[in-house]
Amino acid sequence: MRKALFALVAAGLMTSVTLTACDDGSGSGDSSDDTSTSNVSVSITGKGRNGVGVILPDLKTSARWGKDDPNYLKAAFEKANVPYEIKNAEGDKEAFKAIADKMLDGGVKVLVIANLDSASGKAVIDNAHARKIPVIDYDRLTLNGNADYYVSFNNEQVGIQQAQGLMSCMQAKAASGKPVVAELNGSPTDNNATLFKDGYDSILQTKYDNGEFTKGPDQFVPEWDNDEGKAIFTQMLKQWPNIDGVLAANDGLGNAAIEVLRTKRLNGKVPVTGQDATVQGLQNILVGDQCMTVYKATKKEAEAAADLAIGIVKGQKKTANDKVKDPETGAYVPSVLLIPTPITAGKVKSLVTEGYVTTKELCTPKFVAKCEQYGVLK
């Protein structure tokens, strides 16, 4: 049934669309230069010449791609007085490749990419390397891509923290018998989703094997699409109405599950995990609908990637203290890996103190009481 459902969901995604990639507020001027590749029209300003070209994946799967990452990267490049241009592919793989091609034509000295999948990511890296331009994989490793650097978090540790958080929440809810755990995984084409799953399965599988937990439905969500995630979890809950916990790979998918649980008045009763510490995810945590999220300090990640890119532009040799093995090629990619942090209701205030989120964003009228309860407004 899971295979049949996946096929149905995948079929629903096989719709061809043509999108126009738009500027997201990077260091850009009024001029533009158009190109058309595979019926996808993109434009760049050329402000990245002799500097850095950054391509982010989409505006839908996580709020970070439209706000946090471009803002932090912009600040780092401007502080170093390095030319840059930041574009978002808006979920379109052909646009992703077309933007990269245009940036390379425009004379960037380095590309920083957060791929949509490894196939289109590899095409971009191959194109860049053919022009002797280095590439930094940002947040997501491009399998078989041979990027020059990789900057991300310890993604297996993210999954481990999610599993540990879910177990704590289930214990607090006093789930009886052999509680059923559903796994709502990220995109099957995103290596990070695989690493997250490796991490949480390393904890949960032992519980399944010894009979302490019951392994329920387990499915990847194509393209991290939250609407698809909601449709998939709706089917999961129909087949397994006794689900006791949901390991959702990020806050968007967590909220998709929560919306379904809410229709059955199960929100707050069935623990749900997340990741990215989005405003929506944190609000869900404050009201008790989501049990935890994983905070990845996007500012530190952006600054680490920018530091490598700036070094390349200025001809400074930068070193990466870690290395990650590409599971497809066996090659090791020089890497910077940061440590994630689990966030529960009692720790939400720390993100406000750090400046990651503001009380204005978080403590809207609906959530004021909970913000006061957990000391966010004190």
Side-chain angles (χ1 to χ4, degrees):
M1 182 64 187
R2 280 170 43 211
K3 291 183 178 179
L5 178 58
F6 185 86
L8 177 63
V9 171
L13 294 177
M14 293 176 65
T15 304
S16 177
V17 279
T18 300
L19 298 176
T20 299
C22 66
D23 191 4
D24 56 16
S26 64
S28 57
D30 295 330
S31 63
S32 65
D33 194 5
D34 295 326
T35 188
S36 180
T37 302
S38 301
N39 297 321
V40 177
S41 177
V42 302
S43 64
I44 69 167
T45 66
K47 292 293 184 178
R49 179 179 294 276
N50 295 320
V52 186
V54 179
I55 314 175
L56 301 176
D58 59 66
L59 295 169
K60 186 176 181 181
T61 60
S62 178
R64 64 173 290 188
W65 300 124
K67 177 187 173 185
D68 298 332
D69 295 86
N71 287 343
Y72 293 140
L73 289 164
K74 174 182 177 181
F77 295 137
E78 291 185 351
K79 182 178 180 180
N81 197 29
V82 166
Y84 69 95
E85 183 159 9
I86 302 172
K87 300 290 290 186
N88 194 299
E90 298 188 14
D92 189 320
K93 297 167 189 174
E94 292 305 314
F96 191 94
K97 292 186 286 186
I99 292 167
D101 189 59
K102 200 62 179 174
M103 285 181 168
L104 291 168
D105 287 344
V108 298
K109 287 188 175 182
V110 57
L111 280 179
V112 178
I113 66 170
N115 71 53
L116 281 161
D117 70 357
S118 286
S120 54
K122 174 177 168 53
V124 167
I125 295 173
D126 288 346
N127 186 13
H129 284 173
R131 307 183 194 211
K132 301 188 184 305
I133 299 299
V135 180
I136 299 170
D137 267 340
Y138 182 59
D139 197 67
R140 301 168 177 175
L141 180 67
T142 301
L143 300 183
N144 197 29
N146 195 31
D148 298 87
Y149 293 100
Y150 171 50
V151 178
S152 190
F153 287 82
N154 184 326
N155 291 311
E156 287 193 16
Q157 185 62 33
V158 170
I160 289 171
Q161 290 177 356
Q162 289 174 317
Q164 292 172 336
L166 182 64
M167 289 191 301
S168 294
C169 293
M170 289 172 64
Q171 184 178 12
K173 297 290 183 183
S176 60
K178 299 178 180 179
V180 176
V181 176
E183 297 186 19
L184 197 59
N185 313 304
S187 175
T189 59
D190 181 356
N191 185 58
N192 279 6
T194 300
L195 295 175
F196 302 146
K197 183 170 173 58
D198 287 345
Y200 50 74
D201 278 351
S202 71
I203 303 295
L204 295 176
Q205 192 60 51
T206 300
K207 301 293 184 180
Y208 300 146
D209 290 344
N210 66 20
E212 188 174 343
F213 290 172
T214 299
K215 183 176 177 60
D218 178 357
Q219 192 162 336
F220 285 87
V221 178
E223 311 296 339
W224 289 94
D225 188 279
N226 296 330
D227 291 334
E228 296 293 343
K230 185 175 180 179
I232 289 171
F233 188 72
T234 297
Q235 292 299 316
M236 285 181 171
L237 196 60
K238 284 183 179 179
Q239 297 165 25
W240 297 78
N242 59 334
I243 288 174
D244 296 291
V246 182
L247 196 304
N250 74 355
D251 288 349
L253 295 179
N255 188 68
I258 289 166
E259 288 182 353
V260 177
L261 291 169
R262 190 173 288 126
T263 66
K264 306 293 183 181
R265 297 185 179 180
L266 292 172
N267 57 304
K269 298 177 181 178
V270 176
V272 179
T273 66
Q275 176 189 178
D276 289 335
T278 63
V279 170
Q280 182 181 65
L282 294 173
Q283 289 172 336
N284 282 338
I285 289 172
L286 288 174
V287 299
D289 288 347
Q290 184 172 320
C291 77
M292 62 85 67
T293 188
V294 178
Y295 169 54
K296 298 183 299 185
T298 311
K299 185 173 187 289
K300 293 180 180 179
E301 184 182 22
E303 289 175 343
D307 183 59
L308 290 174
I310 290 165
I312 291 171
V313 170
K314 294 186 174 182
Q316 302 166 349
K317 180 65 176 178
K318 295 287 184 176
T319 59
N321 294 328
D322 299 305
K323 59 183 179 180
V324 169
K325 185 177 181 179
D326 184 326
E328 290 195 1
T329 66
Y332 285 91
V333 181
S335 305
V336 176
L337 299 180
L338 305 172
I339 304 301
T341 304
I343 299 293
T344 54
K347 294 183 179 179
V348 171
K349 180 181 178 180
S350 67
L351 300 185
V352 174
T353 302
E354 184 177 320
Y356 176 74
V357 64
T358 66
T359 55
K360 182 178 180 180
E361 293 173 307
L362 190 61
C363 303
T364 55
K366 182 179 177 181
F367 301 97
V368 167
K370 288 296 182 180
C371 282
E372 290 176 343
Q373 177 183 338
Y374 289 103
V376 176
L377 289 174
K378 293 180 180 179

